[in-house]
Amino acid sequence: MSALSIELHKEKRTGVVPVLLAVGAVGAVYALANFLVRGKSLLSMPLDPMDILLTQLYGMIVVLNMFGIIVATCMAFGMEFRGGAIKKMLVLPMSMAKMYASKLGILAFCLLLAILIQNSALAAIGAANLPEGAFDLMQVAAFAGYSFASSLPVLSFMLLVSSRTENIWVSLGIGVAGFLSAMALANADSVFLLAHPFILMLKPAIAMSAQPDATVLAVSLIETMVFSVAGLWLSRAVRYE
């Protein structure tokens, strides 16, 4: 069996796949319920209808996604450290780097599915409720890609933390600390704060425009690569005692 198929079987048992898909479903239901209750007041705001649709409904969705990522990444390696299972993996003819890359790929794909579910709900809301000619499906697709790209730094960072921390509560604590600090600093203007992966993930939600920010995208790509490469290298170089 390939490393990917082995990891897929393992992640199904940990509940990682259902967790992220459930986050997508809950986010979609939240968007529908939120617009049902606040639709008229939202559309009365002095903003472009598409900006209202995408940014004003995404605020709570991004929080759900963030906690879904934190829980899923901690669960992904929590099982490996339980009972010293990861030490037993070392004797198998499969590199730890392939295991790590498979986990990252599965988590990223499940997160993408969750974001697609949520943005499908946003598209349905926009097509049915925005003024005639205001709805733009391509803008929804661009925002979905933007949301996914800005979420990857948190995903890759939290998987790196989880892979290095045997105590799952420490990993969860770091994730919660990242969320709280990002909520406190998200509205600050300093470009240096974009080094904080959790702040990057919040950027699409706090912006007044749904247009992707090139700086946020560039920093997201760089951080995702740095955290992913660091995780792969450490999985090869560091032995689990």
Side-chain angles (χ1 to χ4, degrees):
M1 297 178 70
S2 67
L4 182 60
S5 61
I6 292 172
E7 286 305 313
L8 188 57
H9 281 293
K10 284 165 37 178
E11 300 314 330
K12 286 180 180 178
R13 290 181 177 274
T14 63
V16 165
V17 174
V19 162
L20 289 175
L21 294 182
V23 164
V26 171
V29 171
Y30 166 81
L32 292 168
N34 192 4
F35 193 86
L36 183 64
V37 174
R38 302 175 56 223
K40 290 184 179 180
S41 62
L42 287 174
L43 291 177
S44 66
M45 296 175 65
L47 295 173
D48 181 270
M50 286 300 296
D51 290 335
I52 294 172
L53 172 69
L54 298 176
T55 62
Q56 300 305 307
L57 295 180
Y58 187 62
M60 187 61 191
I61 292 175
V62 73
V63 173
L64 288 172
N65 290 352
M66 191 174 290
F67 277 103
I69 289 172
I70 292 170
V71 171
T73 50
C74 290
M75 290 169 62
F77 266 99
M79 182 184 71
E80 302 291 358
F81 289 118
R82 195 174 304 154
I86 199 165
K87 299 175 185 177
K88 300 171 186 176
M89 292 288 294
L90 293 172
V91 303
L92 296 179
M94 181 181 74
S95 72
M96 291 296 99
K98 286 184 179 180
M99 183 186 78
Y100 187 94
S102 297
K103 287 184 185 295
L104 181 59
I106 291 168
L107 288 167
F109 181 72
C110 290
L111 176 62
L112 177 60
L113 288 180
I115 289 175
L116 289 177
I117 292 170
Q118 294 161 353
N119 280 272
S120 295
L122 294 178
I125 294 169
N129 296 281
L130 293 190
E132 185 176 354
F135 178 68
D136 185 349
L137 182 59
M138 293 307 297
Q139 191 170 353
V140 176
F143 186 79
Y146 181 39
S147 303
F148 176 65
S150 60
S151 301
L152 288 177
V154 172
L155 179 70
S156 53
F157 170 74
M158 282 306 304
L159 189 63
L160 172 61
V161 170
S162 179
S163 70
R164 297 296 102 202
T165 311
E166 294 191 27
N167 190 328
I168 192 172
W169 297 108
V170 174
S171 302
L172 283 170
I174 292 173
V176 172
F179 164 74
L180 294 176
S181 60
M183 291 295 289
L185 299 170
N187 288 311
D189 292 330
S190 175
V191 69
F192 296 105
L193 289 176
L194 292 180
H196 193 316
F198 290 85
I199 290 179
L200 277 177
M201 187 171 176
L202 292 176
K203 284 300 181 181
I206 63 175
M208 300 307 290
S209 171
Q211 294 297 326
D213 186 314
T215 302
V216 171
L217 284 173
V219 176
S220 296
L221 177 61
I222 293 170
E223 289 193 7
T224 301
M225 292 179 62
V226 169
F227 293 138
S228 298
V229 170
L232 289 169
W233 182 81
L234 287 173
S235 66
R236 286 175 176 272
V238 178
R239 309 302 293 182
Y240 294 93
E241 300 298 335

